[in-house]
Amino acid sequence: MTPRPAPLIRGLWCATLTPVTRDGGIDHARFAAHVHALFADGVDGIAPFGTTGEGQSFAADERRAGLDALLSAGVQGAKIVVGTGCAALPETVALTRHAVAAGCRGCLVLPPFFWKDASDDGLFAWYAGLIERVADPRLRLFLYHLPQVSAVPLSVPLVARLAAAFPGVVAGVKDSEGNWEHTSALLAGAPELTIVIGHEPHLPRLMRAGGAGTICGVANVYPGLVRALLAPSVAPADEARIAQFIHIAFQQPFLAAFKAMVADRRRDPDWRHVRAPLVALDDAQRGTLRAALDRAGFPADMAAAPP
Amino acid sequence: MTPRPAPLIRGLWCATLTPVTRDGGIDHARFAAHVHALFADGVDGIAPFGTTGEGQSFAADERRAGLDALLSAGVQGAKIVVGTGCAALPETVALTRHAVAAGCRGCLVLPPFFWKDASDDGLFAWYAGLIERVADPRLRLFLYHLPQVSAVPLSVPLVARLAAAFPGVVAGVKDSEGNWEHTSALLAGAPELTIVIGHEPHLPRLMRAGGAGTICGVANVYPGLVRALLAPSVAPADEARIAQFIHIAFQQPFLAAFKAMVADRRRDPDWRHVRAPLVALDDAQRGTLRAALDRAGFPADMAAAPP
């Protein structure tokens, strides 16, 4: 068995929420403050403008400006994997070029999600077109598998074919399906890639099987819960805790719920804003969520990730 | 019963294919020539950059340039309903403003299709945000219902709510689901709107029920087939013909098949190109398609729409 190469990223990366103002613009000051707080919490890196970051709700210009503002605020590019996928290839190329030039560790790219029945040949051509047009050997690409939202799965044969055609450049997969069979098949079928997952409860299994870690949304609010799952030996109580948290959080539209939790944690109601078509939780929803979290022992100000 | 107001558009509008060069750029010269030929065929108007026009595969800049090139080639804005929907609101606003300023008859706007579980409240806020930001009383909006591709349906109550909130501006619905129950509910639930459909076989029913016509892909290749369905009295043979044609065309990936048919009709193989993630038909697929069409009496050079 060939040893697995060192992963491009490892550990606890946060699929960063994007704070917005009341009228929906990116709130750059809150964004930078949140990211600095996440690093103080102990996260290993951040992944802005993924799904949790409402990436597809922002125009290419806004995403560029958002990344630039984080870098200007002192966040290191080496600790950023940024979502640069758009529905259309030219805009994906432009955002990806910008991120590579900015020194980002990697780019996280959805398949072209408007087209639901794209063939593996078509998706291969699309990603190949991206890599060839970006034309920068520094590019490190994470393929983004999230079929329950994108409605466009990335098959293991497609991933393996891209990895073989663009070794080093196709660097990993963020597998957010939450289907362990698919994750396991990826680990076996593309052993040279850095495999990270979004579904936190699978982390102990992933780490035992040679995975690299997570890019996940829970790290915005309770990074310690996730950090515990990355340890060489995970206590059953830690596995039960994450399951319990997810059960509660997903009783509400999860993205608005995460923003409400950050608002509570930071004592900053402006964190509740989302951009349409998402809708912020109403008072009743927030009350229900907060009560359930408190009852289960997830207070608003729960301690950050243990070192 | 309140009489239905005069529709914003009526008759046979073509969901125009977008010709691309071998490297995927919009082929402006072929585009204008195709559109002029469609008008010579007797279509009443064109709808570029919808789904059949691969709209979501082109960057906002390319879509703007494509529309400008058609106008420069002498196509009247009054005969254009252009797809201006993007995944993100700001780019949808920018394209819609451009189309309104260019004098287009209407704008066809998909819901924000990345978010699959958007609520009616969230979708209402998104469309309202579009209308308020475009802020131009000349705007005439067609809501684009295509759940089998967008994965985001537009409910009849949402459509009625938008029509009531923005009378005149929310002008119609392009209902491409191909589900007569939904179309019928729209006609009843939003009687002030111009209802056009994409599924050609439903046209006789639609016209009897007070619908306005069609924006459809078949008009790119056999407009006469569709024109026949708009007559006050439709022969059963005409209904059978469209069903037969659709059965054959949809044996292959339909968009690539339509481009192959235009390539045959114009004796111009460059028409076969598509942009990734779509894939052009291979020789075997084209052979199968052409043979099936010829056997069924749909020759490549079949006459244009009767006057």
Side-chain angles (χ1 to χ4, degrees):
Chain A
M1 184 176 157
T2 316
R4 195 172 278 277
L8 184 68
I9 69 171
R10 67 170 86 224
L12 174 57
W13 286 58
C14 178
T16 327
L17 292 162
T18 310
V20 293
T21 59
R22 187 174 297 274
D23 67 359
I26 296 177
D27 186 332
H28 296 292
R30 274 191 179 76
F31 201 11
H34 180 56
V35 166
H36 286 304
L38 290 172
F39 282 114
D41 283 341
V43 307
D44 297 304
I46 59 161
F49 300 119
T51 303
T52 304
E54 295 172 77
Q56 295 307 326
S57 291
F58 297 103
D61 283 351
E62 293 176 292
R63 289 160 73 175
R64 243 186 307 263
L67 175 61
D68 287 343
L70 291 181
L71 294 164
S72 298
V75 182
Q76 296 173 53
K79 296 193 171 178
I80 301 176
V81 169
V82 59
T84 58
C86 301
L89 183 58
E91 282 146 348
T92 306
V93 170
L95 280 183
T96 303
R97 273 192 188 147
H98 173 259
V100 172
C104 290
R105 182 66 149 262
C107 294
L108 175 62
V109 178
L110 284 164
F113 50 88
F114 182 72
W115 301 106
K116 303 305 183 295
D117 295 312
S119 63
D120 275 7
D121 283 348
L123 293 171
F124 181 88
W126 193 88
Y127 277 113
L130 169 64
I131 293 165
E132 286 157 8
R133 283 169 176 77
V134 170
D136 191 319
R138 297 171 296 174
L139 171 61
R140 297 292 176 270
L141 199 62
F142 277 89
L143 309 173
Y144 193 176
H145 176 69
L146 178 71
Q148 68 272 39
V149 181
S150 68
V152 183
L154 299 177
S155 74
V156 176
L158 170 64
V159 169
R161 188 175 158 198
L162 283 164
F166 303 100
V169 170
V170 173
V173 178
K174 170 161 159 53
D175 177 3
S176 294
E177 183 179 359
N179 168 8
W180 178 252
E181 279 182 35
H182 185 83
T183 308
S184 176
L186 275 176
L187 287 161
E192 66 277 44
L193 297 188
T194 297
I195 307 295
V196 295
I197 60 173
H199 184 61
E200 299 86 354
H202 287 168
L203 275 173
R205 273 194 267 194
L206 178 79
M207 301 313 284
R208 286 195 297 272
T214 183
I215 296 177
C216 74
V218 175
N220 284 283
V221 281
Y222 295 124
L225 281 185
V226 189
R227 172 64 75 192
L229 304 174
L230 296 167
S233 146
V234 178
D238 289 326
E239 300 205 46
R241 288 288 281 167
I242 191 77
Q244 188 181 22
F245 173 78
I246 287 175
H247 177 76
I248 295 169
F250 281 74
Q251 303 285 314
Q252 308 286 354
F254 87 96
L255 229 149
F258 275 40
K259 283 192 155 176
M261 288 185 263
V262 174
D264 286 353
R265 187 172 176 210
R266 309 262 189 249
R267 295 193 178 82
D268 179 359
D270 280 335
W271 252 103
R272 294 176 198 151
H273 304 308
V274 294
R275 182 174 274 198
L278 301 186
V279 177
L281 300 193
D282 63 25
D283 290 351
Q285 289 173 311
R286 279 192 290 112
T288 302
L289 173 67
R290 188 71 265 158
L293 289 168
D294 286 344
R295 265 198 313 275
F298 298 105
D301 56 354
M302 196 165 85
Chain B
M1 184 177 157
T2 315
R4 195 171 278 278
L8 184 66
I9 67 171
R10 67 170 86 224
L12 173 57
W13 286 58
C14 178
T16 326
L17 292 162
T18 310
V20 295
T21 59
R22 187 174 298 272
D23 68 0
I26 297 176
D27 185 333
H28 296 291
R30 273 190 180 76
F31 201 10
H34 180 56
V35 166
H36 285 305
L38 290 171
F39 282 113
D41 283 341
V43 307
D44 297 305
I46 60 163
F49 300 119
T51 303
T52 304
E54 295 172 78
Q56 295 307 327
S57 291
F58 297 102
D61 284 350
E62 292 176 292
R63 289 160 72 175
R64 243 186 305 264
L67 175 60
D68 287 344
L70 291 181
L71 294 164
S72 298
V75 182
Q76 296 173 53
K79 295 192 172 179
I80 301 176
V81 168
V82 59
T84 58
C86 301
L89 182 58
E91 282 146 348
T92 306
V93 171
L95 280 183
T96 303
R97 272 192 188 147
H98 173 259
V100 172
C104 289
R105 181 67 149 261
C107 293
L108 175 62
V109 178
L110 283 163
F113 49 87
F114 181 71
W115 301 105
K116 301 306 183 295
D117 295 313
S119 63
D120 275 6
D121 283 349
L123 293 172
F124 181 88
W126 193 89
Y127 278 112
L130 169 63
I131 293 165
E132 286 157 6
R133 284 169 175 78
V134 171
D136 190 319
R138 296 172 296 174
L139 171 61
R140 296 292 176 271
L141 198 61
F142 277 89
L143 308 173
Y144 192 177
H145 176 70
L146 178 70
Q148 67 273 41
V149 180
S150 69
V152 182
L154 299 177
S155 74
V156 175
L158 170 64
V159 169
R161 188 175 157 199
L162 284 164
F166 302 101
V169 171
V170 172
V173 179
K174 170 161 159 53
D175 177 2
S176 295
E177 183 179 359
N179 169 8
W180 179 253
E181 279 182 35
H182 185 83
T183 308
S184 176
L186 275 175
L187 287 161
E192 66 276 44
L193 297 187
T194 297
I195 308 296
V196 295
I197 60 174
H199 185 61
E200 298 86 354
H202 286 167
L203 275 173
R205 273 194 268 195
L206 179 79
M207 301 313 284
R208 285 195 298 270
T214 183
I215 296 177
C216 74
V218 175
N220 284 283
V221 282
Y222 295 123
L225 280 184
V226 190
R227 172 64 74 192
L229 304 173
L230 296 168
S233 145
V234 178
D238 289 326
E239 300 206 45
R241 288 288 280 165
I242 191 78
Q244 188 182 21
F245 173 78
I246 287 176
H247 176 74
I248 295 170
F250 281 74
Q251 302 284 314
Q252 308 286 353
F254 87 96
L255 228 148
F258 275 39
K259 283 192 156 177
M261 287 186 264
V262 173
D264 286 353
R265 187 172 176 210
R266 309 262 190 248
R267 295 192 179 83
D268 178 359
D270 280 335
W271 252 103
R272 293 176 198 152
H273 304 309
V274 294
R275 182 174 274 197
L278 301 186
V279 178
L281 300 193
D282 63 23
D283 289 352
Q285 289 173 310
R286 279 192 289 113
T288 302
L289 173 65
R290 189 71 263 158
L293 289 169
D294 286 344
R295 264 199 311 276
F298 298 105
D301 56 355
M302 197 164 85

PDB file of all heavy atoms in Angstrom, chain A residues 49-79:
ATOM      1  N   PHE A  49     -17.133  31.559   2.093  1.00  0.00           N
ATOM      2  CA  PHE A  49     -17.897  31.513   0.836  1.00  0.00           C
ATOM      3  C   PHE A  49     -18.172  30.105   0.330  1.00  0.00           C
ATOM      4  O   PHE A  49     -18.310  29.879  -0.870  1.00  0.00           O
ATOM      5  CB  PHE A  49     -17.242  32.399  -0.237  1.00  0.00           C
ATOM      6  CG  PHE A  49     -17.169  33.836   0.177  1.00  0.00           C
ATOM      7  CD1 PHE A  49     -15.947  34.491   0.297  1.00  0.00           C
ATOM      8  CD2 PHE A  49     -18.324  34.521   0.506  1.00  0.00           C
ATOM      9  CE1 PHE A  49     -15.882  35.819   0.713  1.00  0.00           C
ATOM     10  CE2 PHE A  49     -18.265  35.858   0.922  1.00  0.00           C
ATOM     11  CZ  PHE A  49     -17.036  36.499   1.021  1.00  0.00           C
ATOM     12  N   GLY A  50     -18.226  29.144   1.265  1.00  0.00           N
ATOM     13  CA  GLY A  50     -18.841  27.864   0.939  1.00  0.00           C
ATOM     14  C   GLY A  50     -20.349  27.990   1.116  1.00  0.00           C
ATOM     15  O   GLY A  50     -20.898  29.099   1.097  1.00  0.00           O
ATOM     16  N   THR A  51     -21.002  26.868   1.341  1.00  0.00           N
ATOM     17  CA  THR A  51     -22.453  26.893   1.514  1.00  0.00           C
ATOM     18  C   THR A  51     -22.822  27.598   2.813  1.00  0.00           C
ATOM     19  O   THR A  51     -23.690  28.485   2.823  1.00  0.00           O
ATOM     20  CB  THR A  51     -22.997  25.460   1.487  1.00  0.00           C
ATOM     21  OG1 THR A  51     -22.591  24.868   0.248  1.00  0.00           O
ATOM     22  CG2 THR A  51     -24.505  25.440   1.585  1.00  0.00           C
ATOM     23  N   THR A  52     -22.161  27.229   3.909  1.00  0.00           N
ATOM     24  CA  THR A  52     -22.438  27.874   5.192  1.00  0.00           C
ATOM     25  C   THR A  52     -22.165  29.374   5.102  1.00  0.00           C
ATOM     26  O   THR A  52     -22.790  30.171   5.791  1.00  0.00           O
ATOM     27  CB  THR A  52     -21.579  27.234   6.297  1.00  0.00           C
ATOM     28  OG1 THR A  52     -21.841  25.824   6.311  1.00  0.00           O
ATOM     29  CG2 THR A  52     -21.887  27.800   7.671  1.00  0.00           C
ATOM     30  N   GLY A  53     -21.234  29.769   4.260  1.00  0.00           N
ATOM     31  CA  GLY A  53     -20.916  31.174   4.047  1.00  0.00           C
ATOM     32  C   GLY A  53     -21.815  31.851   3.029  1.00  0.00           C
ATOM     33  O   GLY A  53     -21.513  32.975   2.596  1.00  0.00           O
ATOM     34  N   GLU A  54     -22.911  31.192   2.664  1.00  0.00           N
ATOM     35  CA  GLU A  54     -23.858  31.761   1.680  1.00  0.00           C
ATOM     36  C   GLU A  54     -23.147  32.202   0.400  1.00  0.00           C
ATOM     37  O   GLU A  54     -23.554  33.181  -0.250  1.00  0.00           O
ATOM     38  CB  GLU A  54     -24.640  32.955   2.279  1.00  0.00           C
ATOM     39  CG  GLU A  54     -25.552  32.599   3.431  1.00  0.00           C
ATOM     40  CD  GLU A  54     -26.165  33.817   4.146  1.00  0.00           C
ATOM     41  OE1 GLU A  54     -27.104  34.414   3.615  1.00  0.00           O
ATOM     42  OE2 GLU A  54     -25.670  34.177   5.247  1.00  0.00           O
ATOM     43  N   GLY A  55     -22.086  31.479   0.043  1.00  0.00           N
ATOM     44  CA  GLY A  55     -21.252  31.896  -1.090  1.00  0.00           C
ATOM     45  C   GLY A  55     -22.039  32.203  -2.357  1.00  0.00           C
ATOM     46  O   GLY A  55     -21.760  33.185  -3.043  1.00  0.00           O
ATOM     47  N   GLN A  56     -23.030  31.346  -2.660  1.00  0.00           N
ATOM     48  CA  GLN A  56     -23.736  31.520  -3.934  1.00  0.00           C
ATOM     49  C   GLN A  56     -24.700  32.699  -3.913  1.00  0.00           C
ATOM     50  O   GLN A  56     -25.284  33.033  -4.939  1.00  0.00           O
ATOM     51  CB  GLN A  56     -24.472  30.234  -4.320  1.00  0.00           C
ATOM     52  CG  GLN A  56     -23.525  29.077  -4.603  1.00  0.00           C
ATOM     53  CD  GLN A  56     -22.466  29.425  -5.622  1.00  0.00           C
ATOM     54  OE1 GLN A  56     -22.713  30.190  -6.562  1.00  0.00           O
ATOM     55  NE2 GLN A  56     -21.266  28.879  -5.453  1.00  0.00           N
ATOM     56  N   SER A  57     -24.882  33.309  -2.754  1.00  0.00           N
ATOM     57  CA  SER A  57     -25.765  34.477  -2.699  1.00  0.00           C
ATOM     58  C   SER A  57     -25.013  35.772  -2.959  1.00  0.00           C
ATOM     59  O   SER A  57     -25.640  36.832  -3.071  1.00  0.00           O
ATOM     60  CB  SER A  57     -26.446  34.559  -1.326  1.00  0.00           C
ATOM     61  OG  SER A  57     -27.371  33.506  -1.192  1.00  0.00           O
ATOM     62  N   PHE A  58     -23.699  35.703  -3.051  1.00  0.00           N
ATOM     63  CA  PHE A  58     -22.907  36.908  -3.260  1.00  0.00           C
ATOM     64  C   PHE A  58     -22.367  36.950  -4.687  1.00  0.00           C
ATOM     65  O   PHE A  58     -21.979  35.926  -5.251  1.00  0.00           O
ATOM     66  CB  PHE A  58     -21.752  36.961  -2.253  1.00  0.00           C
ATOM     67  CG  PHE A  58     -22.227  37.054  -0.830  1.00  0.00           C
ATOM     68  CD1 PHE A  58     -22.201  35.948   0.006  1.00  0.00           C
ATOM     69  CD2 PHE A  58     -22.753  38.242  -0.340  1.00  0.00           C
ATOM     70  CE1 PHE A  58     -22.682  36.019   1.310  1.00  0.00           C
ATOM     71  CE2 PHE A  58     -23.240  38.331   0.965  1.00  0.00           C
ATOM     72  CZ  PHE A  58     -23.193  37.216   1.791  1.00  0.00           C
ATOM     73  N   ALA A  59     -22.322  38.145  -5.237  1.00  0.00           N
ATOM     74  CA  ALA A  59     -21.762  38.330  -6.566  1.00  0.00           C
ATOM     75  C   ALA A  59     -20.257  38.103  -6.528  1.00  0.00           C
ATOM     76  O   ALA A  59     -19.619  38.191  -5.468  1.00  0.00           O
ATOM     77  CB  ALA A  59     -22.061  39.752  -7.056  1.00  0.00           C
ATOM     78  N   ALA A  60     -19.684  37.812  -7.665  1.00  0.00           N
ATOM     79  CA  ALA A  60     -18.243  37.576  -7.755  1.00  0.00           C
ATOM     80  C   ALA A  60     -17.467  38.759  -7.169  1.00  0.00           C
ATOM     81  O   ALA A  60     -16.500  38.571  -6.419  1.00  0.00           O
ATOM     82  CB  ALA A  60     -17.852  37.325  -9.219  1.00  0.00           C
ATOM     83  N   ASP A  61     -17.893  39.950  -7.464  1.00  0.00           N
ATOM     84  CA  ASP A  61     -17.208  41.137  -6.936  1.00  0.00           C
ATOM     85  C   ASP A  61     -17.235  41.177  -5.406  1.00  0.00           C
ATOM     86  O   ASP A  61     -16.266  41.575  -4.766  1.00  0.00           O
ATOM     87  CB  ASP A  61     -17.890  42.417  -7.432  1.00  0.00           C
ATOM     88  CG  ASP A  61     -17.536  42.719  -8.873  1.00  0.00           C
ATOM     89  OD1 ASP A  61     -16.638  42.038  -9.424  1.00  0.00           O
ATOM     90  OD2 ASP A  61     -18.176  43.611  -9.456  1.00  0.00           O
ATOM     91  N   GLU A  62     -18.374  40.824  -4.850  1.00  0.00           N
ATOM     92  CA  GLU A  62     -18.497  40.835  -3.390  1.00  0.00           C
ATOM     93  C   GLU A  62     -17.608  39.765  -2.757  1.00  0.00           C
ATOM     94  O   GLU A  62     -17.044  39.972  -1.681  1.00  0.00           O
ATOM     95  CB  GLU A  62     -19.954  40.590  -2.982  1.00  0.00           C
ATOM     96  CG  GLU A  62     -20.914  41.692  -3.348  1.00  0.00           C
ATOM     97  CD  GLU A  62     -22.341  41.315  -2.987  1.00  0.00           C
ATOM     98  OE1 GLU A  62     -22.907  40.392  -3.614  1.00  0.00           O
ATOM     99  OE2 GLU A  62     -22.895  41.923  -2.071  1.00  0.00           O
ATOM    100  N   ARG A  63     -17.505  38.617  -3.407  1.00  0.00           N
ATOM    101  CA  ARG A  63     -16.680  37.533  -2.863  1.00  0.00           C
ATOM    102  C   ARG A  63     -15.202  37.927  -2.908  1.00  0.00           C
ATOM    103  O   ARG A  63     -14.441  37.668  -1.974  1.00  0.00           O
ATOM    104  CB  ARG A  63     -16.961  36.229  -3.631  1.00  0.00           C
ATOM    105  CG  ARG A  63     -18.340  35.696  -3.298  1.00  0.00           C
ATOM    106  CD  ARG A  63     -18.880  34.736  -4.330  1.00  0.00           C
ATOM    107  NE  ARG A  63     -18.212  33.442  -4.277  1.00  0.00           N
ATOM    108  CZ  ARG A  63     -18.568  32.393  -5.012  1.00  0.00           C
ATOM    109  NH1 ARG A  63     -19.607  32.496  -5.849  1.00  0.00           N
ATOM    110  NH2 ARG A  63     -17.927  31.259  -4.926  1.00  0.00           N
ATOM    111  N   ARG A  64     -14.814  38.569  -4.006  1.00  0.00           N
ATOM    112  CA  ARG A  64     -13.436  39.059  -4.115  1.00  0.00           C
ATOM    113  C   ARG A  64     -13.151  40.079  -3.014  1.00  0.00           C
ATOM    114  O   ARG A  64     -12.131  40.004  -2.325  1.00  0.00           O
ATOM    115  CB  ARG A  64     -13.243  39.730  -5.480  1.00  0.00           C
ATOM    116  CG  ARG A  64     -12.220  39.069  -6.375  1.00  0.00           C
ATOM    117  CD  ARG A  64     -11.988  39.882  -7.645  1.00  0.00           C
ATOM    118  NE  ARG A  64     -13.227  40.182  -8.346  1.00  0.00           N
ATOM    119  CZ  ARG A  64     -13.682  39.466  -9.388  1.00  0.00           C
ATOM    120  NH1 ARG A  64     -12.993  38.455  -9.852  1.00  0.00           N
ATOM    121  NH2 ARG A  64     -14.816  39.784  -9.984  1.00  0.00           N
ATOM    122  N   ALA A  65     -14.058  41.024  -2.845  1.00  0.00           N
ATOM    123  CA  ALA A  65     -13.860  42.077  -1.838  1.00  0.00           C
ATOM    124  C   ALA A  65     -13.848  41.480  -0.435  1.00  0.00           C
ATOM    125  O   ALA A  65     -13.093  41.932   0.441  1.00  0.00           O
ATOM    126  CB  ALA A  65     -14.952  43.138  -1.969  1.00  0.00           C
ATOM    127  N   GLY A  66     -14.681  40.474  -0.207  1.00  0.00           N
ATOM    128  CA  GLY A  66     -14.734  39.837   1.105  1.00  0.00           C
ATOM    129  C   GLY A  66     -13.422  39.152   1.448  1.00  0.00           C
ATOM    130  O   GLY A  66     -12.912  39.269   2.575  1.00  0.00           O
ATOM    131  N   LEU A  67     -12.866  38.443   0.485  1.00  0.00           N
ATOM    132  CA  LEU A  67     -11.573  37.789   0.710  1.00  0.00           C
ATOM    133  C   LEU A  67     -10.473  38.828   0.932  1.00  0.00           C
ATOM    134  O   LEU A  67      -9.661  38.709   1.863  1.00  0.00           O
ATOM    135  CB  LEU A  67     -11.233  36.894  -0.487  1.00  0.00           C
ATOM    136  CG  LEU A  67      -9.862  36.226  -0.453  1.00  0.00           C
ATOM    137  CD1 LEU A  67      -9.722  35.314   0.766  1.00  0.00           C
ATOM    138  CD2 LEU A  67      -9.614  35.427  -1.741  1.00  0.00           C
ATOM    139  N   ASP A  68     -10.470  39.849   0.090  1.00  0.00           N
ATOM    140  CA  ASP A  68      -9.447  40.892   0.230  1.00  0.00           C
ATOM    141  C   ASP A  68      -9.511  41.549   1.605  1.00  0.00           C
ATOM    142  O   ASP A  68      -8.475  41.853   2.210  1.00  0.00           O
ATOM    143  CB  ASP A  68      -9.619  41.962  -0.866  1.00  0.00           C
ATOM    144  CG  ASP A  68      -9.187  41.466  -2.237  1.00  0.00           C
ATOM    145  OD1 ASP A  68      -8.465  40.440  -2.307  1.00  0.00           O
ATOM    146  OD2 ASP A  68      -9.572  42.098  -3.241  1.00  0.00           O
ATOM    147  N   ALA A  69     -10.720  41.757   2.104  1.00  0.00           N
ATOM    148  CA  ALA A  69     -10.864  42.408   3.409  1.00  0.00           C
ATOM    149  C   ALA A  69     -10.301  41.520   4.520  1.00  0.00           C
ATOM    150  O   ALA A  69      -9.680  42.023   5.470  1.00  0.00           O
ATOM    151  CB  ALA A  69     -12.331  42.743   3.668  1.00  0.00           C
ATOM    152  N   LEU A  70     -10.500  40.215   4.412  1.00  0.00           N
ATOM    153  CA  LEU A  70      -9.933  39.308   5.425  1.00  0.00           C
ATOM    154  C   LEU A  70      -8.408  39.353   5.390  1.00  0.00           C
ATOM    155  O   LEU A  70      -7.740  39.404   6.427  1.00  0.00           O
ATOM    156  CB  LEU A  70     -10.406  37.869   5.203  1.00  0.00           C
ATOM    157  CG  LEU A  70     -11.888  37.580   5.471  1.00  0.00           C
ATOM    158  CD1 LEU A  70     -12.182  36.110   5.216  1.00  0.00           C
ATOM    159  CD2 LEU A  70     -12.272  37.965   6.898  1.00  0.00           C
ATOM    160  N   LEU A  71      -7.864  39.334   4.190  1.00  0.00           N
ATOM    161  CA  LEU A  71      -6.399  39.372   4.062  1.00  0.00           C
ATOM    162  C   LEU A  71      -5.859  40.695   4.608  1.00  0.00           C
ATOM    163  O   LEU A  71      -4.854  40.721   5.327  1.00  0.00           O
ATOM    164  CB  LEU A  71      -6.003  39.184   2.590  1.00  0.00           C
ATOM    165  CG  LEU A  71      -6.340  37.804   2.001  1.00  0.00           C
ATOM    166  CD1 LEU A  71      -6.279  37.840   0.479  1.00  0.00           C
ATOM    167  CD2 LEU A  71      -5.397  36.720   2.538  1.00  0.00           C
ATOM    168  N   SER A  72      -6.547  41.775   4.291  1.00  0.00           N
ATOM    169  CA  SER A  72      -6.125  43.092   4.797  1.00  0.00           C
ATOM    170  C   SER A  72      -6.201  43.158   6.320  1.00  0.00           C
ATOM    171  O   SER A  72      -5.456  43.916   6.945  1.00  0.00           O
ATOM    172  CB  SER A  72      -7.019  44.203   4.233  1.00  0.00           C
ATOM    173  OG  SER A  72      -6.894  44.244   2.845  1.00  0.00           O
ATOM    174  N   ALA A  73      -7.108  42.375   6.880  1.00  0.00           N
ATOM    175  CA  ALA A  73      -7.250  42.353   8.343  1.00  0.00           C
ATOM    176  C   ALA A  73      -6.221  41.425   8.986  1.00  0.00           C
ATOM    177  O   ALA A  73      -6.271  41.189  10.193  1.00  0.00           O
ATOM    178  CB  ALA A  73      -8.665  41.932   8.724  1.00  0.00           C
ATOM    179  N   GLY A  74      -5.329  40.874   8.175  1.00  0.00           N
ATOM    180  CA  GLY A  74      -4.230  40.106   8.751  1.00  0.00           C
ATOM    181  C   GLY A  74      -4.418  38.601   8.771  1.00  0.00           C
ATOM    182  O   GLY A  74      -3.589  37.872   9.337  1.00  0.00           O
ATOM    183  N   VAL A  75      -5.488  38.111   8.146  1.00  0.00           N
ATOM    184  CA  VAL A  75      -5.651  36.653   8.061  1.00  0.00           C
ATOM    185  C   VAL A  75      -4.675  36.137   7.002  1.00  0.00           C
ATOM    186  O   VAL A  75      -4.562  36.709   5.914  1.00  0.00           O
ATOM    187  CB  VAL A  75      -7.104  36.288   7.686  1.00  0.00           C
ATOM    188  CG1 VAL A  75      -7.275  34.779   7.649  1.00  0.00           C
ATOM    189  CG2 VAL A  75      -8.088  36.931   8.659  1.00  0.00           C
ATOM    190  N   GLN A  76      -3.962  35.053   7.347  1.00  0.00           N
ATOM    191  CA  GLN A  76      -2.972  34.517   6.404  1.00  0.00           C
ATOM    192  C   GLN A  76      -3.640  33.693   5.306  1.00  0.00           C
ATOM    193  O   GLN A  76      -4.448  32.812   5.592  1.00  0.00           O
ATOM    194  CB  GLN A  76      -2.006  33.582   7.120  1.00  0.00           C
ATOM    195  CG  GLN A  76      -1.140  34.205   8.169  1.00  0.00           C
ATOM    196  CD  GLN A  76      -0.375  33.108   8.904  1.00  0.00           C
ATOM    197  OE1 GLN A  76       0.293  32.276   8.288  1.00  0.00           O
ATOM    198  NE2 GLN A  76      -0.494  33.107  10.225  1.00  0.00           N
ATOM    199  N   GLY A  77      -3.239  33.939   4.076  1.00  0.00           N
ATOM    200  CA  GLY A  77      -3.751  33.146   2.952  1.00  0.00           C
ATOM    201  C   GLY A  77      -3.530  31.656   3.152  1.00  0.00           C
ATOM    202  O   GLY A  77      -4.355  30.836   2.739  1.00  0.00           O
ATOM    203  N   ALA A  78      -2.437  31.290   3.792  1.00  0.00           N
ATOM    204  CA  ALA A  78      -2.140  29.868   4.008  1.00  0.00           C
ATOM    205  C   ALA A  78      -3.174  29.184   4.888  1.00  0.00           C
ATOM    206  O   ALA A  78      -3.242  27.963   4.939  1.00  0.00           O
ATOM    207  CB  ALA A  78      -0.755  29.722   4.634  1.00  0.00           C
ATOM    208  N   LYS A  79      -3.983  29.977   5.556  1.00  0.00           N
ATOM    209  CA  LYS A  79      -5.015  29.401   6.426  1.00  0.00           C
ATOM    210  C   LYS A  79      -6.418  29.575   5.849  1.00  0.00           C
ATOM    211  O   LYS A  79      -7.415  29.511   6.567  1.00  0.00           O
ATOM    212  CB  LYS A  79      -4.922  30.021   7.822  1.00  0.00           C
ATOM    213  CG  LYS A  79      -3.597  29.671   8.490  1.00  0.00           C
ATOM    214  CD  LYS A  79      -3.584  29.997   9.953  1.00  0.00           C
ATOM    215  CE  LYS A  79      -2.315  29.410  10.596  1.00  0.00           C
ATOM    216  NZ  LYS A  79      -2.230  29.741  12.024  1.00  0.00           N
TER     217      LYS A  79
END
